[in-house]
């Protein structure tokens, strides 16, 4: 996917070509992703983790993992899947 439009335009490629979003859906998702990224960055900055350390790297990877899971949940919900508690 990175090579389709380059690394800097990967988000736009995914929204347009992979998820087939247009119009309001495209804009809403763009704003939501930006807000999530901003909040995660703010949370990381307030953790007092020294930059360039193993702890900082692990915190960054953990945040990316959670954002990935959030994206998967959002897409599954968009496709009609719903979370149901299993006993």
């Amino acid at each position: 996917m990175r090579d389709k439009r380059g690394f800097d335009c990967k988000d736009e490629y995914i929204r347009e070509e992979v998820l087939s979003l247009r119009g309001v859906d495209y804009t809403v998702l763009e704003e939501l992703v930006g807000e999530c990224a901003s909040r995660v960055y703010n949370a990381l900055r307030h953790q007092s983790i020294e930059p360039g350390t193993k702890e900082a790297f692990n915190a960054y990877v953990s945040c990316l993992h959670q954002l990935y899971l959030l994206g998967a949940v959002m897409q599954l919900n968009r496709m009609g899947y719903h979370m149901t508690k299993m006993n």
Side-chain angles (χ1 to χ4, degrees):
M1 278 192 247
R2 180 196 67 213
D3 297 332
K4 297 290 183 179
R5 295 188 192 171
F7 184 77
D8 292 336
C9 296
K10 185 171 60 170
D11 293 344
E12 290 84 1
Y13 175 77
I14 291 171
R15 284 194 308 264
E16 291 171 4
E17 304 299 329
V18 177
L19 300 176
S20 300
L21 296 175
R22 304 279 185 260
V24 174
D25 290 338
Y26 182 95
T27 304
V28 167
L29 185 61
E30 183 174 31
E31 290 172 1
L32 180 62
V33 168
E35 181 67 23
C36 288
S38 177
R39 288 176 184 235
V40 167
Y41 178 71
N42 187 41
L44 275 174
R45 299 287 292 163
H46 285 86
Q47 292 298 313
S48 300
I49 300 172
E50 184 178 344
T53 63
K54 182 178 179 182
E55 185 181 19
F57 175 76
N58 289 335
Y60 174 71
V61 171
S62 293
C63 289
L64 289 179
H65 180 72
Q66 292 304 312
L67 288 170
Y68 176 82
L69 293 175
L70 176 63
V73 167
M74 288 172 41
Q75 180 59 21
L76 287 171
N77 185 273
R78 183 174 165 258
M79 294 168 59
Y81 291 88
H82 299 284
M83 301 288 268
T84 304
K85 184 176 180 179
M86 298 183 69
N87 298 323

